Amino acid sequence: MLDLSVPAFPDTRPPLTGPRRDAAERAMRRMWWPVARSVDLDQPQPALLLGERLVVWRTASGQAVVQSRRCPHRGGDMTQGKVHGEALACPYHGWQFGAQGGCTHVPSLDDQAKRPAKARLDAYPVREQWGHVWTVLDGPGLDFYHVPVWEGVALDWMAGTPLDSTTGVAVAIENFRDVAHFPFVHEATMGPSPHVVEPLQVKRNGLMITMDRHLDAGTGEWAGDGDCEMHYHCAAPGLATITYDYGAKGRRVVAGFPSPMEYDHVMIFWGVANERGFKGSSLEQNCVLEEAVYREDLPIAGALEPREVDWDGAYEEHSVPADLFTLNYRRAFGDFVALAEKAEERA
C-alpha cells in the first residue's frame, strides 16, 4: 500500500494508476450511501442513487425501508403512495408491498391467494446512522464507516438540509476538507484566513485519512466559540468529518456524506452533532453556520471541470504541498475500488 503520510514534495506522479471511471462506478454500488433523512419519513421519500429510482419509507412499527420506486403492476410512483401498517400502497391501484418487497394485497381481487407471485419491489439493505437512512445497491455492502475519535462520546445529532451539488463524490469530499480555499471562498463565514498553508500533518490508514489542525476563530461567524483544535477524519469513498475540540467547553461535529445520484451529481447529506453537555453553540446555531459554509462552496465546486475526479487521466493537474490530504484521499479511493472488486469476485 502506498503511504503518503509523511509530506513529500514534489510528487509528479499521476494520482492513481487506477481505478478507471467504470471500475469506480461499479465499486460505488457496493458501498453504503445515505438516501434520506430519518426525520422526513413521516411520508414516503424519493431518492436517486447511481441512477436507480428509489422510495424510502417507514413502517408503522418504525422500520425504515428502501425499495425500487416503480410499481410492477402499471408503473405507479410509490413515493406518492400511502403507508398501511407494514406495507406501502401504490397510488394508482392500491397494490400493497411489504418491507421485503413482496406484494401483500391487491384490492381488486376477491381472492388474495391469486396475487401475482412474482409481483414485488426490489428491497435493499437499510441502516440508520447519524440521522440518515443508508442503503447499498449491490450485495450486503462493504464495511460501514467508523470514526475512532467518536468512540465513547455521546453525540446528539441534527440532520442538515440536503444540498444538490453538480459534482461527483470524490470532488465533494475533497472540497469538504481542502484548507487552501478558505481565504477565497469562506471569508464571510470564517473571516480572513492566511493564504499560506502550513505543512499538513496528514496520516492515512487504509481507507481512512486524518489530519489535526489548530483553528484561530478570527472574526468570522466561527468566532463565537473561540479557538479550537480541528480533527479531520475522511474515509473513502464518501465520508468527511470535522470534530472541533474546544477543551473545557466540549466538542462539536460537522459531517458530510455526499450521495451519488449520478456519477458526477451528488445530493450532499450532512449533519451536525454536539457532545452531550457541550457549552458552546446549540445544534440549531451550528446547523445554520455549517449550511452557510456549504452554500459558499456550492457555486464554486459546482463549476469545476471535470465535475468528478479524473480517474481516466484526461485532464492535466498540478499539485502543491497543500494538496497532501487530497492525494492521500485519492489513493484511499483506489484502495476502496480494489476492495470492491475483490468483493465482486467473491459474489
Side-chain angles (χ1 to χ4, degrees):
M1 180 179 67
L2 182 59
D3 183 5
L4 286 183
S5 60
V6 178
F9 182 80
D11 183 355
T12 58
R13 297 167 295 170
L16 292 170
T17 57
R20 312 309 263 179
R21 170 175 170 163
D22 59 346
E25 288 189 90
R26 290 197 310 274
M28 288 194 292
R29 293 181 63 89
R30 294 188 172 274
M31 192 56 195
W32 292 88
W33 302 100
V35 286
R37 302 190 305 177
S38 294
V39 296
D40 293 331
L41 295 193
D42 54 337
Q43 297 290 331
Q45 296 295 311
L48 182 65
L49 180 58
L50 291 167
E52 303 287 348
R53 288 162 49 85
L54 306 173
V55 58
V56 189
W57 58 284
R58 192 182 299 283
T59 68
S61 62
Q63 178 184 355
V65 180
V66 178
Q67 295 172 326
S68 53
R69 192 187 307 182
R70 179 187 179 274
C71 177
H73 173 220
R74 290 296 183 268
D77 184 346
M78 298 299 292
T79 66
Q80 299 175 351
K82 294 182 179 179
V83 176
H84 293 265
E86 301 302 295
L88 179 63
C90 175
Y92 197 8
H93 297 96
W95 287 33
Q96 296 182 20
F97 299 86
Q100 301 306 311
C103 181
T104 59
H105 183 69
V106 176
S108 62
L109 286 175
D110 60 356
D111 182 359
Q112 292 300 309
K114 295 180 180 179
R115 296 190 309 271
K118 294 183 179 180
R120 62 179 300 105
L121 303 176
D122 291 333
Y124 298 93
V126 171
R127 176 171 181 145
E128 287 199 69
Q129 189 82 26
W130 306 323
H132 290 79
V133 178
W134 300 65
T135 194
V136 59
L137 294 177
D138 287 349
L142 300 179
D143 290 344
F144 196 82
Y145 297 111
H146 172 64
V147 185
V149 72
W150 297 345
E151 288 182 359
V153 181
L155 293 172
D156 295 320
W157 282 90
M158 174 178 286
T161 302
L163 301 170
D164 189 312
S165 179
T166 51
T167 66
V169 167
V171 165
I173 292 295
E174 291 184 5
N175 170 247
F176 181 98
R177 37 104 323 263
D178 177 274
V179 298
H181 77 288
F182 289 176
F184 311 102
V185 180
H186 298 305
E187 185 173 7
T189 52
M190 299 183 185
S193 303
H195 287 199
V196 176
V197 176
E198 79 281 4
L200 300 179
Q201 303 305 309
V202 178
K203 297 179 181 179
R204 181 162 78 89
N205 181 9
L207 305 187
M208 295 191 299
I209 312 99
T210 60
M211 177 177 71
D212 293 319
R213 192 170 191 248
H214 180 73
L215 173 68
D216 292 318
T219 59
E221 295 178 33
W222 277 12
D225 288 329
D227 297 350
C228 68
E229 301 301 321
M230 302 170 70
H231 177 78
Y232 286 82
H233 175 104
C234 293
L239 175 69
T241 77
I242 304 173
T243 301
Y244 303 88
D245 190 339
Y246 292 92
K249 283 186 178 180
R251 287 167 283 190
R252 73 175 183 90
V253 168
V254 59
F257 356 91
S259 184
M261 296 185 289
E262 303 286 353
Y263 176 73
D264 56 1
H265 187 183
V266 300
M267 184 67 73
I268 300 176
F269 291 98
W270 62 282
V272 296
N274 281 356
E275 182 177 8
R276 207 153 293 164
F278 181 62
K279 297 180 177 61
S281 302
S282 69
L283 280 173
E284 291 78 9
Q285 290 171 319
N286 291 335
C287 202
V288 170
L289 170 60
E290 297 295 354
E291 182 171 339
V293 175
Y294 263 122
R295 291 193 180 279
E296 289 173 329
D297 279 316
L298 288 177
I300 305 301
L304 297 177
E305 183 184 359
R307 287 164 43 161
E308 178 57 306
V309 169
D310 177 28
W311 304 119
D312 291 330
Y315 289 77
E316 184 177 16
E317 284 189 343
H318 304 277
S319 297
V320 294
D323 299 312
L324 187 65
F325 208 122
T326 291
L327 295 174
N328 275 268
Y329 167 76
R330 293 187 181 188
R331 288 173 170 82
F333 193 101
D335 287 351
F336 154 71
V337 172
L339 286 173
E341 288 176 333
K342 291 179 180 177
E344 185 176 7
E345 291 171 358
R346 293 192 299 266

